[in-house]
Amino acid sequence: MQTQIETIQCKLLSMQDTAYRDFNAKLIPTVDPKLMIGIRTPLLRKFAKDLFKTEPKQSAAFMQTLPHRYFEENNLHAFLIENIKDFDTAITETERFLPFIDNWATCDTFAPPLFKKYPDEVYQKILLWIRSPRTYTVRYAIGLLLSNYLDERFKPEMLELVASVKSDEYYINMMIAWYFSFALIKQYDAALPYIKKQTLAPFTHNKTIQKAIESRRISPEIKDYLRTLKV
C-alpha cells in the first residue's frame, strides 16, 4: 500500500517535463539534477493549492516529513505553507522548513501572502533569521526585506541591517546586491550613502551598481553617476 508521501511523489512525477528539468538544472547548480523532476512553478503552485484544499490530512502529513527527496517536493512544501490562513501556524511551519531550503530558487519563490498582513511580527522574525548561520535562511530574510519592506513599510535601519551581513557565501552576497539595487530604485536618498561610502564588500558593491544600471526605473543621469562609483 502506498504511503501518503509516495502518493504525492507519484503525482509530481506524472507532471514531469524533462526539457524544463534540463533547462532548470543549469540555472540551479547547487541541486543534483537527479533530484529534479521538472515541473513549472505555476503548475506546482496550482497542485499545492488543490492539495491543501482537498487533502488536508495528506498535506499535513507531507509537511511533517522532512527532509524531502526532490527539489519539487521542497517547492511544494513552500507553496503549501503559502496556503495557510492562520499567521501563527504559517510562522511555525516556515521556521520548521527554512533549515531545509538548499537552493536559491526554492528560497526566492517562497512568499506567503499572509506575511504582508503582519509586517511588524514578520520583521521581528527577520531580525532573527538574518543572523542565522544557514545561507538560505539569511537569503530569505533579505529577500523579504526586498519584497515587503522597501515601500511604505521601509525604515532606514533596514539598510543598515542588510549592510551589516558579512558572508563569503555567493548566494547571500547576490541577494544583498539585489536588495541594494532595489533600494536605489525605491529609496535612493537613503541607499546612496552606502554606495558612496563603499560600505558593502567590493563584489557586492559592484553587483549592486550593475543591477541598478540594468533597471529601466533609474534615470540615465543617475546610471551615469552610479558608474563613477564602481570599485
Side-chain angles (χ1 to χ4, degrees):
M1 183 178 173
Q2 277 191 329
T3 66
Q4 290 176 321
I5 307 306
E6 287 170 338
T7 300
I8 288 174
Q9 283 183 346
C10 286
K11 287 178 180 176
L12 292 175
L13 288 164
S14 74
M15 293 185 269
Q16 184 174 50
D17 179 337
T18 54
Y20 180 69
R21 177 199 63 199
D22 296 344
F23 168 76
N24 222 21
K26 295 173 184 174
L27 300 177
I28 312 169
T30 58
V31 175
D32 183 346
K34 296 189 191 72
L35 301 179
M36 275 193 176
I37 297 170
I39 306 172
R40 294 179 185 274
T41 299
L43 185 60
L44 191 57
R45 265 209 167 92
K46 183 182 184 305
F47 175 64
K49 186 176 183 179
D50 293 344
L51 186 70
F52 188 86
K53 186 177 180 179
T54 62
E55 300 285 352
K57 288 184 179 179
Q58 197 174 52
S59 298
F62 178 79
M63 286 194 288
Q64 290 300 312
T65 308
L66 283 163
H68 300 299
R69 172 172 171 77
Y70 292 106
F71 165 75
E72 284 81 3
E73 286 183 291
N74 276 330
N75 288 359
L76 174 62
H77 194 132
F79 300 157
L80 286 169
I81 294 173
E82 290 179 355
N83 282 277
I84 295 172
K85 299 295 188 285
D86 176 74
F87 177 72
D88 290 337
T89 305
I91 279 288
T92 298
E93 289 300 327
T94 295
E95 295 206 289
R96 248 175 34 83
F97 178 59
L98 281 176
F100 296 94
I101 296 178
D102 61 358
N103 68 89
W104 69 264
T106 302
C107 184
D108 295 4
T109 54
F110 176 33
L114 195 62
F115 284 4
K116 291 185 178 181
K117 297 180 181 178
Y118 296 86
D120 296 335
E121 293 85 346
V122 174
Y123 184 54
Q124 292 307 308
K125 292 295 184 182
I126 288 170
L127 294 174
L128 299 175
W129 296 340
I130 205 165
R131 301 293 178 218
S132 170
R134 298 181 185 276
T135 296
Y136 294 102
T137 301
V138 177
R139 184 180 171 102
Y140 187 68
I142 300 169
L144 281 175
L145 289 172
L146 189 163
S147 59
N148 295 357
Y149 296 86
L150 274 176
D151 296 302
E152 67 273 8
R153 299 290 179 185
F154 174 73
K155 298 176 185 176
E157 69 187 48
M158 295 169 178
L159 292 166
E160 186 59 39
L161 183 64
V162 177
S164 69
V165 175
K166 306 300 179 190
S167 175
D168 295 327
E169 290 286 348
Y170 173 81
Y171 289 102
I172 289 177
N173 290 325
M174 280 301 297
M175 183 55 84
I176 295 172
W178 275 113
Y179 174 82
F180 270 94
S181 71
F182 273 79
L184 286 169
I185 294 166
K186 295 186 171 188
Q187 302 291 343
Y188 180 76
D189 291 339
L192 184 62
Y194 287 85
I195 307 305
K196 289 174 70 175
K197 294 176 185 176
Q198 299 179 11
T199 310
L200 308 175
F203 168 84
T204 312
H205 174 97
N206 286 339
K207 276 291 178 187
T208 297
I209 293 172
Q210 177 194 326
K211 296 298 179 187
I213 289 170
E214 288 171 357
S215 172
R216 295 178 181 178
R217 290 186 280 174
I218 289 183
S219 71
E221 294 77 17
I222 290 178
K223 289 182 182 182
D224 287 341
Y225 175 57
L226 290 174
R227 286 186 182 97
T228 70
L229 299 178
K230 284 192 173 182
V231 297

